[in-house]
Amino acid sequence: MKNTIAVWLLLLAGLASGQDIRLAGIEYFNYPKAPVNDGNGKYQASFQEFSAFAAYPVQSKNKKTTIVNGFQYALVNASVLDNTTTVTNTRTFDVLAYNFIVIHKLNENWKLEAQLSPTLSSDFKSSLSSNDFLMLGSFLAVRRLNDYASIGAGITYTTKLGKPLLLPVLQFNYHKDHHKLIILLPSLVEYEYRLDQKDKFNIGFRAGLNGAEFHVTGNNIDSAIDVNKLGYSRLNLGPVVSYRISKIIKIEAMGGISVARKYQFLDVQGNKYTINSKNVGVFNIGIAFVPPLLK
């Protein structure tokens, strides 16, 4: 039973999250075949993901409040190879999210940021139900320290650890001259160095925690169990390169390794099964429309 569960537990992949203001774009992630820690090395899994997103910001007349409406869609294809039979099983998951963001400036040093993200996350093999729906979000208070740095704290309701959890958030941003540092715990640490005076070419390093949970309806994992949820979490580490090919278009690529890969299976009775996957390489490339640089 454990080996059968391992196959479908690994039919998952994650969603990329952007670190800069991005008005629209597309992204592609690729995770090559990697052995599953099932005790006998019987299975290998690989993942490909395509996502598209768009956001529309509107600022109030007094310029104290900014409202952003956005949408994101992700198509996740996952394949599991049975080494003993050379049979490959493929599974597809979809995610559709609406993002509503409000940023309100209290004064010169303080601002509040709130996000609400109604999300459908499922294999969509049967009619929609409440199990396909997630209401995610966050709230953050940010204080400006000086012209170069800010700190923040708040809470988030997220699936980055493989299931919906309410977690604390700590933020630190620093941007001066050629250096940019973004820390958003527990999900992201990124350093970026600007190579040219026009801020077109940047290199850096990213450590990003990512996870998701999907409702499973059309499963055939085992006749003795009724699958309800599949979730995963992982940490992606690696160098990042970005280049502005025009004033408003940026292309970005990342290559590295995906570690701490955990997958969780949950049946309708609430029984939980967890399995790990071995580390694997990860490659990501994306193109986005971004606001023009301020002069």
Side-chain angles (χ1 to χ4, degrees):
M1 176 179 174
K2 182 179 178 181
N3 290 341
T4 310
I5 292 173
V7 175
W8 295 109
L9 280 176
L10 293 177
L11 293 182
L12 300 169
L15 298 175
S17 59
Q19 285 72 57
D20 293 322
I21 298 174
R22 303 184 300 171
L23 302 179
I26 56 175
E27 289 185 303
Y28 171 75
F29 273 79
N30 181 57
Y31 298 82
K33 291 179 182 177
V36 179
N37 293 331
D38 61 349
N40 57 20
K42 184 179 179 181
Y43 299 106
Q44 296 184 70
S46 62
F47 308 91
Q48 291 78 41
E49 176 198 330
F50 170 83
S51 66
F53 57 91
Y56 182 70
V58 177
Q59 193 173 55
S60 63
K61 292 182 178 181
N62 60 12
K63 297 185 177 181
K64 288 187 175 183
T65 303
T66 300
I67 295 177
V68 182
N69 289 279
F71 294 90
Q72 182 175 12
Y73 170 74
L75 173 66
V76 177
N77 287 317
S79 300
V80 174
L81 170 65
D82 187 332
N83 295 322
T84 61
T85 64
T86 68
V87 174
T88 299
N89 295 289
T90 301
R91 193 87 178 211
T92 299
F93 295 91
D94 298 90
V95 177
L96 180 62
Y98 165 65
N99 298 313
F100 178 74
I101 303 169
V102 178
I103 303 171
H104 180 68
K105 186 177 180 181
L106 297 176
N107 52 47
E108 290 300 317
N109 294 323
W110 284 95
K111 66 179 178 179
L112 302 177
E113 301 177 1
Q115 178 173 341
L116 194 63
S117 299
T119 302
L120 290 174
S121 182
S122 177
D123 58 8
F124 293 107
K125 291 187 178 296
S126 67
S127 300
L128 291 178
S129 72
S130 59
N131 287 317
D132 298 297
F133 180 76
L134 295 167
M135 181 61 78
L136 307 177
S138 63
F139 179 81
L140 198 66
V142 181
R143 185 181 189 277
R144 175 179 174 271
L145 298 177
N146 51 48
D147 291 340
Y148 314 109
S150 66
I151 59 172
I155 56 174
T156 181
Y157 190 64
T158 178
T159 57
K160 286 188 178 294
L161 290 176
K163 59 182 178 180
L165 289 172
L166 186 65
L167 299 173
V169 176
L170 295 176
Q171 175 185 292
F172 177 75
N173 286 347
Y174 177 83
H175 189 186
K176 183 178 181 181
D177 299 329
H178 292 251
H179 304 276
K180 181 189 292 186
L181 176 64
I182 301 172
I183 299 176
L184 186 63
L185 300 178
S187 59
L188 175 72
V189 176
E190 177 172 309
Y191 169 75
E192 187 177 273
Y193 181 80
R194 175 164 52 88
L195 293 176
D196 63 321
Q197 295 299 324
K198 295 183 178 180
D199 198 18
K200 284 190 173 183
F201 193 20
N202 295 269
I203 60 172
F205 183 86
R206 180 183 300 161
L209 176 68
N210 197 269
E213 182 182 76
F214 296 90
H215 180 215
V216 179
T217 55
N219 72 83
N220 57 354
I221 295 178
D222 194 299
S223 59
I225 53 178
D226 192 359
V227 181
N228 186 41
K229 298 284 186 178
L230 289 173
Y232 77 92
S233 63
R234 68 183 178 213
L235 180 65
N236 292 339
L237 306 167
V240 182
V241 177
S242 65
Y243 182 75
R244 279 184 181 256
I245 58 179
S246 74
K247 291 182 178 180
I248 61 170
I249 299 178
K250 175 187 284 189
I251 187 169
E252 181 180 274
M254 174 189 174
I257 187 169
S258 184
V259 303
R261 291 153 54 94
K262 295 183 179 181
Y263 301 87
Q264 180 175 286
F265 160 91
L266 191 69
D267 65 19
V268 293
Q269 287 78 34
N271 298 314
K272 185 190 303 182
Y273 306 89
T274 301
I275 193 168
N276 299 331
S277 172
K278 293 186 178 180
N279 299 341
V280 67
V282 55
F283 174 74
N284 161 233
I285 187 168
I287 186 168
F289 290 91
V290 295
L293 294 172
L294 297 175
K295 295 183 179 181

